[in-house]
Amino acid sequence: MQFPYSWLKTWANPNLSADELAHLLTMSGLEVEEQSTVAPAFSGVVVAEVKAVEKHPDADRLRVTQVDAGTGELIQIVCGAPNVAVGVKVPCALAGAVLPGHFKIKPTKMRGQVSNGMLCSATELGLPEDVDGLLLLPADAPVGEDIRRYLDLDDAVFTLKITPNRADCLSIKGIAREVKALTDCTATPQDVPSMPVSSDKTFPTRIQAAQDCGRLLSRVIEGVDARAATPLWMRQRLERCGIRSISVLVDIGNYVMLELGQPMHVFDLDKLSGSLNARRATSGETLACLNGKTVTLSDNTLLIADDERALSIAGMMGGEYSAVNDDTTNILLESAFFTPNAIAGKARQYGFGSDSSFRFERGVDYALQEEAVERASALIVGLCGGRCAPINHATGDLPAAREVNIRLARAEKVLGVALQADQVETILHNLGLQPQKTADGFTVTEPSFRFDIEIEADIIEEIARVYGYENIPSDAPQGALEMIKLPETQKARYDIYRALAARAYREVINYAFVDEAWERDFADNHRPIRLQNPLAAQMSVMRSTLIGGLIDTLHGNLNRKQSRVRVFEIARVFSHAAQGYAQNERVGLLAYGNAQPEQWGTPNRRVDFYDVKADIEALLSAPAEFIAQAHPALHPGRAAAILIDGKQIGFIGELHPRWVQQYELGQAPIVAELELSALLQREKTSYRSVSKFPPVRRDLAFVLPENITAAALLACLREVKHQTVQDITVFDQYRGQGLPEHHKSLAVRIMLRSDDKTLQDEEVDALTAKLIDVAAAIGAKLRA
């Protein structure tokens, strides 16, 4: 909402400087996004009247003028503007003037003719330009008057960033009401008398969609002069609010919207037939709009129509067919209350919006329509002439005013300040909340211009705004806080972050909203959780895996010529559950490029499965099992599930060649994803004495079929529980001559040690024999 300070002062003058008012509004919740003056700094420009115009003897496009600038004598100025003429009044920059951009005006010669100043256009003064040529001033402009004073160019212009719940402040009337409440200044609301009725012509008005349109008013005005000029004061106010002057009838509608907050529409009465009706569109119905677009309407769209056709999209955009023009003589004013839900989303649906839709979708005062019609009627008759007919009323479903109780003691507790009942009553009264005293506070009634007063906390917030957040003491809370210790069996969360950073991984943070294609490609998820109102088409679903975001991060790094990338992300993933949705935290890893940074000490080698496997094992406190398993994101045969105690906690593998090619990665990265909860688990710390006795090592070479993995062999051997067995590890493998076809040999190291004695050969041999027998059960035989 953009407005000039001078217009606000006609409603409520707080006697504050522009800077003070901007600070006050911002601290009360109406953020001043921008503050400026109407025109940039310049000096030495006055109102002048052109007394004579002659053709330049040596230039076809130049004129030699004699102007009266109030100096007591005529000044000769050479001018090239096409609209310079005898008798016009224009801004004149005298010799010595400084225009915007520090452009200094000096006496000069132009093609041999002396020019002692400059006649100015709007652009040269830093003002909006609506004509080609000089800025023409009204005939009654006083000659010699400083142009800044005459046009009030030092007037402050504010741009407010209005939150969606404060549509009541999208007008001068609403802002004045706020300023009155904040400063308790004298308010001078504009008196809007009822216009005398001098015509009996009416246009029937009805509401078919009562749930969408709560009130629809119309008034016929006959005999208007649509060619009348919009007065300077109105044009200035519109321009300073960011609205371009179009024609007097359109300007009046925009003026009333800015002044009162009620959007209106003016129809050419002679183009209408039957009656005015607020109804829903039928699917496939079309409308040629004022912005030049022809739209095909859907049945969720509210229209203003007559008996033959749609006239406008309600609360959004008028139709071209019924628009007023310079030949219009009879008009129909329309003013309505449309429910916010009926208008919300239509700007996005049809690809355009308007100042009207911006207001209606947030909520317009449902008691304002008649005042707006009377105000517009007075302006039209005063500027264009005409005869007013009675106002036609049609009523649909209007909102019910809510009553909310506010307890004074509760407000004091929430705000932390002592409040007087009279003080609170004044605040609520100035805000238009109609307070009624109760035993413990007040009962307030939601006014027609507010749609956000629902509960007691809303009233307390209003009191706080007007009381002043700066006046509430900033007392630091006091209390004893006890840090909750983690169980001994759980790691601190940041241990995982530090461990990954120590292994050269960098953390990334990606959106939880992802492209639906990522879910299909990397998780084979054809039923993702969809967002009802996505930020963008490529962010339409919730992720069920972290892989897509990591691949996107990799792609961005490759575009920036980073050839070695190691990244991780710890974040939530989302999936359907029996009741609602599941949100689990996972750790995603990606490694790409060389295993080590390029250096002279080690040869370059691409990172592989075993590098990332080692990183994962360093994170885990318990031994993990890696079992070959297919995954939609990973290379067949180069992917594995990660298990602890038989439960899968994640997966690891090389990205599928199809996705490497599709996402233009050059080579396959190694990716992994694990449950964070599994990484946080650890065994409880326990004391164990160091044995004084020597260890015993036995190396066993087993021959076993290719389909039996080393992990399966180790799991089988570790099933032999004996207190002397300290470690069982595979240290070598062999394939080749001397072995049966489709067999391999795995060499296993077994470390034995007792805490209380030296082991004898007989004990070691017995335990070794037991391990050999257990291995035989899965087809592993001792190699001869």
Side-chain angles (χ1 to χ4, degrees), residues 206-226:
R206 58 195 175 95
I207 297 174
Q208 186 175 330
Q211 74 279 10
D212 297 330
C213 179
R215 181 175 281 122
L216 181 62
L217 274 63
S218 67
R219 164 176 270 173
V220 171
I221 303 180
E222 295 183 289
V224 300
D225 177 12

Side-chain angles (χ1 to χ4, degrees), residues 134-154:
L134 301 176
L135 174 60
L136 302 180
L137 302 174
D140 59 355
V143 172
E145 176 82 3
D146 187 290
I147 198 70
R148 294 195 74 92
R149 187 182 308 112
Y150 176 68
L151 295 179
D152 195 14
L153 299 183
D154 292 317

Side-chain angles (χ1 to χ4, degrees), residues 24 27-29 182 406 411-412 414-417 419 423-424 427-428 431 456-472:
L24 179 68
M27 292 305 298
S28 70
L182 293 170
I406 168 69
E412 290 180 337
V414 171
L415 301 181
V417 295
L419 298 170
Q423 180 186 22
V424 172
I427 290 173
L428 297 177
L431 289 171
E456 186 179 34
D458 296 330
I459 308 299
I460 295 174
E461 181 187 7
E462 294 299 301
I463 295 171
R465 286 193 316 104
V466 178
Y467 182 85
Y469 293 120
E470 293 174 311
N471 298 323
I472 299 175

Side-chain angles (χ1 to χ4, degrees), residues 610-666:
Y610 297 100
D611 293 312
V612 179
K613 176 175 178 287
D615 294 333
I616 292 172
E617 288 175 329
L619 297 175
L620 294 168
S621 298
E625 187 177 2
F626 294 79
I627 303 296
Q629 185 182 73
H631 189 281
L634 304 180
H635 190 300
R638 298 184 187 177
I642 307 171
L643 290 79
I644 293 181
D645 296 331
K647 179 183 177 182
Q648 183 170 346
I649 64 164
F651 60 85
I652 178 177
E654 185 180 295
L655 192 67
H656 198 292
R658 186 194 324 169
W659 311 136
V660 173
Q661 181 179 6
Q662 180 171 317
Y663 291 91
E664 301 176 348
L665 302 180

